[in-house]
Coordinates of all heavy atoms in Angstrom, one line a residue:
Chain A
G98 N 19.2 39.0 13.3 CA 18.4 38.3 12.4 C 17.4 39.2 11.7 O 17.7 40.3 11.4
E99 N 16.2 38.6 11.6 CA 15.1 39.4 10.8 C 14.5 40.5 11.7 O 14.1 41.5 11.1 CB 14.1 38.3 10.4 CG 12.9 38.9 9.7 CD 11.8 37.9 9.4 OE1 12.0 36.7 9.7 OE2 10.8 38.2 8.8
V100 N 14.3 40.3 13.0 CA 13.6 41.2 13.8 C 14.4 41.5 15.1 O 14.0 41.2 16.2 CB 12.2 40.7 14.2 CG1 11.3 40.7 13.0 CG2 12.3 39.2 14.8
P101 N 15.6 42.2 15.0 CA 16.4 42.4 16.1 C 16.1 43.6 17.0 O 16.6 43.7 18.2 CB 17.8 42.7 15.4 CG 17.4 43.3 14.2 CD 16.1 42.7 13.7
N102 N 15.3 44.5 16.5 CA 15.0 45.8 17.3 C 14.4 45.5 18.6 O 13.4 44.8 18.7 CB 14.2 46.7 16.4 CG 14.9 47.2 15.2 OD1 16.2 47.2 15.1 ND2 14.2 47.7 14.2
G103 N 14.9 46.2 19.7 CA 14.4 46.0 21.0 C 15.0 44.9 21.8 O 14.7 44.7 23.0
Y104 N 15.9 44.2 21.2 CA 16.6 43.0 21.8 C 18.1 43.2 21.7 O 18.7 43.7 20.8 CB 16.2 41.7 21.1 CG 14.7 41.5 21.0 CD1 14.0 41.8 19.8 CD2 14.0 40.9 22.0 CE1 12.7 41.6 19.7 CE2 12.6 40.7 21.9 CZ 12.0 41.0 20.7 OH 10.6 40.8 20.6
N105 N 18.7 42.6 22.8 CA 20.2 42.6 22.8 C 20.7 41.2 23.2 O 20.0 40.5 24.0 CB 20.7 43.7 23.8 CG 22.1 44.0 23.7 OD1 22.7 43.6 22.7 ND2 22.7 44.7 24.6
V106 N 21.8 40.8 22.7 CA 22.4 39.5 23.0 C 23.8 39.6 23.2 O 24.5 40.6 22.8 CB 22.1 38.4 21.9 CG1 20.6 38.1 21.8 CG2 22.7 38.9 20.6
S107 N 24.4 38.6 23.9 CA 25.8 38.5 24.0 C 26.1 37.0 24.1 O 25.3 36.2 24.5 CB 26.3 39.2 25.3 OG 25.7 38.7 26.4
R108 N 27.4 36.6 23.8 CA 27.8 35.2 23.9 C 29.2 35.1 24.5 O 30.2 35.1 23.8 CB 27.7 34.6 22.5 CG 28.0 33.1 22.4 CD 26.8 32.3 22.4 NE 27.1 30.8 22.4 CZ 27.2 30.1 21.2 NH1 27.1 30.7 20.1 NH2 27.4 28.8 21.3
S109 N 29.2 35.1 25.8 CA 30.5 35.1 26.5 C 31.0 33.7 26.6 O 32.2 33.5 26.8 CB 30.4 35.8 27.8 OG 29.4 35.1 28.6
T110 N 30.1 32.7 26.6 CA 30.6 31.3 26.7 C 29.9 30.5 25.6 O 28.9 30.9 25.0 CB 30.2 30.6 28.0 OG1 28.8 30.6 28.1 CG2 30.8 31.4 29.2
T111 N 30.4 29.3 25.3 CA 29.7 28.4 24.3 C 28.3 28.0 24.7 O 27.4 27.9 23.9 CB 30.6 27.2 24.0 OG1 31.9 27.6 23.5 CG2 29.9 26.3 23.0
E112 N 28.2 27.8 26.0 CA 26.9 27.3 26.6 C 25.8 28.2 26.7 O 24.6 27.8 26.6 CB 27.2 26.7 28.0 CG 28.2 25.5 28.0 CD 29.6 26.0 27.9 OE1 29.9 27.2 28.2 OE2 30.5 25.1 27.6
D113 N 26.0 29.5 26.9 CA 25.0 30.4 27.2 C 24.7 31.5 26.2 O 25.7 32.1 25.6 CB 25.3 31.1 28.6 CG 25.4 30.1 29.7 OD1 24.4 29.4 30.0 OD2 26.5 30.0 30.3
F114 N 23.5 31.9 26.0 CA 23.1 32.9 25.0 C 21.9 33.6 25.5 O 20.8 33.4 25.0 CB 22.9 32.2 23.6 CG 22.7 33.2 22.5 CD1 23.7 34.2 22.3 CD2 21.7 33.0 21.5 CE1 23.6 35.1 21.2 CE2 21.6 33.9 20.4 CZ 22.6 34.9 20.3
P115 N 22.1 34.6 26.4 CA 20.9 35.3 26.9 C 20.4 36.3 26.0 O 21.1 36.9 25.2 CB 21.5 35.9 28.2 CG 22.9 36.1 27.9 CD 23.3 34.9 27.1
L116 N 19.0 36.5 26.1 CA 18.4 37.5 25.3 C 17.8 38.6 26.2 O 17.1 38.3 27.1 CB 17.2 36.9 24.5 CG 16.4 37.9 23.7 CD1 17.1 38.3 22.4 CD2 15.0 37.2 23.2
R117 N 18.2 39.9 26.0 CA 17.8 41.0 26.9 C 16.8 41.9 26.2 O 17.0 42.3 25.0 CB 19.1 41.8 27.2 CG 20.1 41.0 28.0 CD 21.3 41.9 28.5 NE 22.3 41.1 29.1 CZ 23.2 40.4 28.5 NH1 23.3 40.5 27.2 NH2 24.1 39.7 29.2
L118 N 15.8 42.2 26.9 CA 14.8 43.2 26.5 C 15.1 44.4 27.4 O 14.9 44.4 28.6 CB 13.4 42.7 26.7 CG 12.8 41.7 25.8 CD1 13.4 40.3 25.9 CD2 11.3 41.7 25.9
L119 N 15.5 45.5 26.7 CA 16.0 46.6 27.5 C 14.8 47.5 28.0 O 14.9 48.0 29.1 CB 16.9 47.5 26.6 CG 18.1 46.7 26.1 CD1 18.9 47.6 25.1 CD2 19.0 46.2 27.2
S120 N 13.8 47.6 27.2 CA 12.6 48.4 27.6 C 11.4 47.7 26.9 O 11.1 48.0 25.8 CB 12.7 49.9 27.2 OG 11.6 50.6 27.5
A121 N 10.7 46.8 27.7 CA 9.7 46.0 27.1 C 8.5 46.8 26.5 O 8.1 47.8 27.1 CB 9.2 45.0 28.1
A122 N 8.0 46.4 25.4 CA 6.8 47.0 24.8 C 5.8 45.9 24.5 O 6.1 44.7 24.4 CB 7.3 47.6 23.4
P123 N 4.5 46.3 24.5 CA 3.5 45.3 24.2 C 3.7 44.5 22.9 O 3.3 43.3 22.9 CB 2.2 46.1 24.1 CG 2.5 47.3 25.0 CD 3.9 47.6 24.8
S124 N 4.4 45.1 22.0 CA 4.6 44.4 20.7 C 5.6 43.2 20.9 O 5.8 42.4 20.0 CB 5.2 45.3 19.7 OG 6.4 45.9 20.1
Q125 N 6.3 43.2 22.0 CA 7.2 42.1 22.3 C 6.5 40.9 23.0 O 7.2 39.9 23.4 CB 8.4 42.6 23.1 CG 9.2 43.5 22.3 CD 10.4 44.1 23.1 OE1 10.2 44.7 24.2 NE2 11.6 43.9 22.6
T126 N 5.2 41.0 23.2 CA 4.5 39.9 23.8 C 4.5 38.7 22.7 O 4.1 38.9 21.6 CB 3.0 40.3 24.0 OG1 2.9 41.2 25.1 CG2 2.2 39.0 24.4
S127 N 5.1 37.6 23.1 CA 5.3 36.5 22.2 C 5.8 35.3 23.0 O 6.0 35.3 24.2 CB 6.4 37.0 21.2 OG 6.5 36.0 20.2
V128 N 6.0 34.2 22.2 CA 6.7 33.1 22.8 C 8.1 33.0 22.1 O 8.2 33.1 20.9 CB 6.0 31.7 22.4 CG1 6.7 30.6 23.0 CG2 4.5 31.8 23.0
Y129 N 9.1 32.9 23.0 CA 10.5 33.0 22.5 C 11.1 31.6 22.6 O 11.0 30.9 23.6 CB 11.3 34.0 23.4 CG 10.8 35.4 23.2 CD1 9.7 36.0 23.9 CD2 11.5 36.3 22.3 CE1 9.3 37.3 23.6 CE2 11.0 37.6 22.0 CZ 9.9 38.0 22.7 OH 9.5 39.3 22.5
F130 N 11.8 31.3 21.6 CA 12.5 30.0 21.5 C 14.0 30.2 21.3 O 14.4 31.0 20.4 CB 11.9 29.1 20.4 CG 10.6 28.6 20.7 CD1 9.5 29.2 20.2 CD2 10.4 27.4 21.5 CE1 8.2 28.7 20.4 CE2 9.2 26.9 21.8 CZ 8.1 27.5 21.2
C131 N 14.8 29.5 22.1 CA 16.2 29.5 21.9 C 16.5 28.2 21.1 O 15.9 27.1 21.4 CB 16.9 29.5 23.2 SG 18.7 29.5 23.1
A132 N 17.5 28.2 20.3 CA 17.9 27.0 19.5 C 19.4 26.9 19.4 O 20.1 27.9 19.4 CB 17.2 27.0 18.2
S133 N 19.9 25.7 19.2 CA 21.3 25.5 19.0 C 21.5 24.4 18.0 O 20.7 23.6 17.7 CB 22.0 25.2 20.3 OG 21.7 23.9 20.7
S134 N 22.7 24.4 17.4 CA 23.1 23.3 16.5 C 24.6 23.3 16.3 O 25.3 24.3 16.6 CB 22.4 23.5 15.1 OG 23.0 24.6 14.4
H135 N 25.1 22.2 15.8 CA 26.5 22.2 15.3 C 26.6 23.1 14.1 O 25.7 23.1 13.3 CB 27.0 20.8 15.0 CG 27.3 20.0 16.2 ND1 28.3 20.3 17.1 CD2 26.7 18.8 16.7 CE1 28.3 19.4 18.1 NE2 27.4 18.5 17.9
A136 N 27.7 23.8 13.9 CA 27.8 24.7 12.8 C 27.7 23.9 11.5 O 27.1 24.4 10.5 CB 29.2 25.4 12.9
R137 N 28.2 22.7 11.4 CA 28.1 21.9 10.2 C 26.7 21.5 9.9 O 26.4 21.1 8.7 CB 29.0 20.7 10.3 CG 28.6 19.7 11.3 CD 29.5 18.5 11.4 NE 29.0 17.5 12.3 CZ 29.3 17.5 13.6 NH1 30.1 18.4 14.1 NH2 28.9 16.5 14.4
D138 N 25.8 21.5 10.8 CA 24.4 21.0 10.6 C 23.5 22.2 11.0 O 22.6 22.0 11.8 CB 24.1 19.8 11.5 CG 25.0 18.6 11.1 OD1 25.3 18.4 9.9 OD2 25.5 18.0 12.1
A139 N 23.7 23.3 10.4 CA 23.1 24.5 10.9 C 21.5 24.4 10.9 O 20.9 25.1 11.6 CB 23.5 25.7 10.1

Side-chain angles (χ1 to χ4, degrees):
Chain A
E99 179 185 357
V100 288
N102 293 339
Y104 306 95
N105 196 11
V106 293
S107 61
R108 184 95 178 271
S109 57
T110 66
T111 300
E112 295 78 18
D113 300 300
F114 191 45
L116 178 72
R117 297 182 185 85
L118 283 71
L119 302 177
S120 179
S124 61
Q125 293 179 302
T126 293
S127 188
V128 181
Y129 292 84
F130 288 98
C131 179
S133 72
S134 71
H135 283 299
R137 66 178 181 274
D138 300 316

